[in-house]
Amino acid sequence: MSSIPIPAGSLFGVDNLPYGVFSTPDSAPRVGVRVGDSVVDLSRIFPGDDVFAAPSLNAFMAQGRPRWDETRSALVELVRRGVADDAVFPVPEVRLHLPIEVADYVDFYASEHHAANLGRLFRPQNPEPLLPNWKHLPVGYHGRSGTVVVSGVDVVRPCGQRKGPNDAAPVFGPTVRLDIEAELGFVVGVGSAMGARIGPDEFADHCFGAVVLNDWSARDIQAWEYVPLGPNLGKSFATSVSPWVVPLAALDAARIATPLQCPEPLPYLRGEQQWGLDIELEVEWNGQLVSRPPYAQMYWSPAQMLAHLTVNGAATRTGDLLGSGTVSGPGVRQRGAFIEMTWGGAKPVRIGDAHRTFVEDGDEIAISATAPGPHGTRIGFGEVRTRILPATGEP
């Protein structure tokens, strides 16, 4: 039995305790919690509890908020008192896996700055960059859960149809405008029955925690296909997430009001609790920091996203993943997508010795996030890091 060293200023102290799924060369995937630079094996800390011996967090998440709170309190005490040596593994010596079985994936469009920038890019003739519905509801689309992957999994450049403004007809081939979207993802722990609704003030009873998310986007494929039904192949090829799920309880110190919402949302989107979040993301392109998107600027809160998702009676399930949509602020170096940062490719960004617009083969993108913790501390989400591989052969 020994204490776990937590370096000064660590983003993974007892105020955080994010959950993940890990394995070692001689063992199967199971649930762990990160403490400092170590992973604590919960299947050894809580022997006989099958939910922690499982290869995903889903069984634990499905037990509900009282169990989440009870386990978190127990972990805080265990970490402070000391943990059995055979339950502690250095982070570099383990393999991290996708932490949840993703049931459904819905991606929203909650940043006013991002939506307005894309409106100016795609509809320059319109005096108002936002579409008429945007300030009345959290716009979203249904994605593919089967192509959500964890940090470290390479992504192959997608192929599809695209048609440029000067092309007489559509052509098929690899995307030439591969982009990122720096987001947060919110994980549903306890679902809701078909026909039921989840109000904004019920958010903490249903949302288990949050991850960093990169919603990869093939902008040329997307532009040709999305009218009239929205994104499909331009988005469905891959979505990358960080391996650590930060519990919602760890984000109490980060909770703030959303920006002023005008006009006032309809009653089903109003709540007494504040679910804006003061979280700062960072985007690195081949090791170079290029953007710091501020989640505090997001117009729609995750509680409003979940309320909107269920207001029509749609069921939710353990493992549902809600993407926030691109996180962008008012500054150029606060934009969470390269299409915004380079203004559709017209204003390249200097990366190393080259000027770049969109993601090229061999590029590595890393997105990380931190948030305020208690007493002036900060907590971390870790990162989602992905390398792009060349497209495979044509069909």
Side-chain angles (χ1 to χ4, degrees):
M1 185 80 66
S2 60
S3 61
I4 301 172
I6 301 176
S10 173
L11 299 173
F12 298 99
V14 293
D15 296 323
N16 190 354
L17 301 179
Y19 295 95
V21 170
F22 77 102
S23 64
T24 54
D26 60 349
S27 66
R30 68 272 197 196
V31 175
V33 66
R34 180 160 179 179
V35 182
D37 297 323
S38 301
V39 179
V40 177
D41 185 347
L42 298 193
S43 70
R44 297 188 184 182
I45 296 297
F46 302 105
D49 196 330
D50 292 343
V51 300
F52 298 121
S56 81
L57 288 168
N58 288 46
F60 172 53
M61 295 191 300
Q63 292 182 323
R65 187 178 178 183
R67 181 72 201 281
W68 309 340
D69 293 343
E70 171 192 303
T71 302
R72 182 172 175 80
S73 296
L75 286 172
V76 170
E77 289 303 313
L78 282 167
V79 169
R80 287 174 173 163
R81 191 168 68 237
V83 178
D85 293 337
D86 66 354
V88 181
F89 299 84
V91 170
E93 297 180 11
V94 305
R95 179 184 175 189
L96 297 173
H97 301 266
L98 187 66
I100 63 171
E101 293 178 35
V102 183
D104 275 306
Y105 169 49
V106 177
D107 194 48
F108 287 89
Y109 192 43
S111 166
E112 182 176 2
H113 296 291
H114 176 67
N117 282 334
L118 292 196
R120 294 183 184 102
L121 280 167
F122 296 154
R123 299 179 298 276
Q125 72 281 3
N126 290 4
E128 172 52 57
L130 298 177
L131 292 173
N133 65 348
W134 197 90
K135 286 199 170 182
H136 293 274
L137 56 88
V139 174
Y141 74 92
H142 195 277
R144 287 189 62 82
S145 60
T147 46
V148 177
V149 296
V150 74
S151 175
V153 174
D154 296 336
V155 168
V156 175
R157 179 177 296 272
C159 294
Q161 285 192 33
R162 62 181 193 270
K163 183 181 182 298
N166 300 318
D167 294 335
V171 297
F172 176 87
T175 176
V176 296
R177 291 167 70 89
L178 182 59
D179 199 0
I180 70 157
E181 291 193 350
E183 306 186 16
L184 290 183
F186 297 91
V187 180
V188 173
V190 174
S192 54
M194 190 171 178
R197 298 176 179 177
I198 299 173
D201 288 338
E202 299 173 291
F203 180 67
D205 292 328
H206 292 269
C207 180
F208 176 75
V211 296
V212 185
L213 185 149
N214 186 351
D215 182 36
W216 293 97
S217 301
R219 299 297 185 187
D220 43 1
I221 296 173
Q222 179 185 357
W224 173 235
E225 74 179 358
Y226 86 101
V227 177
L229 293 183
N232 187 18
L233 300 187
K235 297 274 195 175
S236 64
F237 60 96
T239 301
S240 302
V241 298
S242 57
W244 299 111
V245 184
V246 174
L248 205 62
L251 296 174
D252 277 350
R255 289 174 59 177
I256 57 174
T258 60
L260 178 66
Q261 295 180 335
C262 184
E264 184 180 33
L266 291 174
Y268 78 91
L269 291 169
R270 299 179 211 157
E272 296 297 322
Q273 301 176 15
Q274 295 181 339
W275 277 108
L277 292 166
D278 182 14
I279 298 173
E280 183 177 272
L281 285 73
E282 291 191 348
V283 178
E284 291 185 1
W285 194 345
N286 292 339
Q288 179 176 320
L289 180 64
V290 293
S291 180
R292 286 192 172 95
Y295 195 86
Q297 295 278 334
M298 297 295 271
Y299 189 89
W300 295 107
S301 77
Q304 290 174 312
M305 296 176 208
L306 185 57
H308 185 67
L309 174 65
T310 60
V311 73
N312 68 343
T316 58
R317 295 181 289 175
T318 298
D320 279 1
L321 180 64
L322 280 61
S324 65
T326 303
V327 182
S328 289
V332 174
R333 290 294 181 256
Q334 293 180 315
R335 296 172 180 170
F338 296 155
I339 192 170
E340 292 177 84
M341 197 182 303
T342 67
W343 209 245
K347 299 179 180 180
V349 174
R350 189 172 184 86
I351 303 296
D353 296 329
H355 286 87
R356 305 288 292 280
T357 52
F358 293 94
V359 182
E360 297 183 5
D361 294 345
D363 282 358
E364 189 173 67
I365 305 297
I367 306 172
S368 57
T370 62
H375 315 299
T377 61
R378 291 195 73 78
I379 65 172
F381 289 70
E383 66 175 17
V384 52
R385 181 178 293 270
T386 315
R387 186 167 60 102
I388 295 300
L389 301 181
T392 55
E394 296 187 9

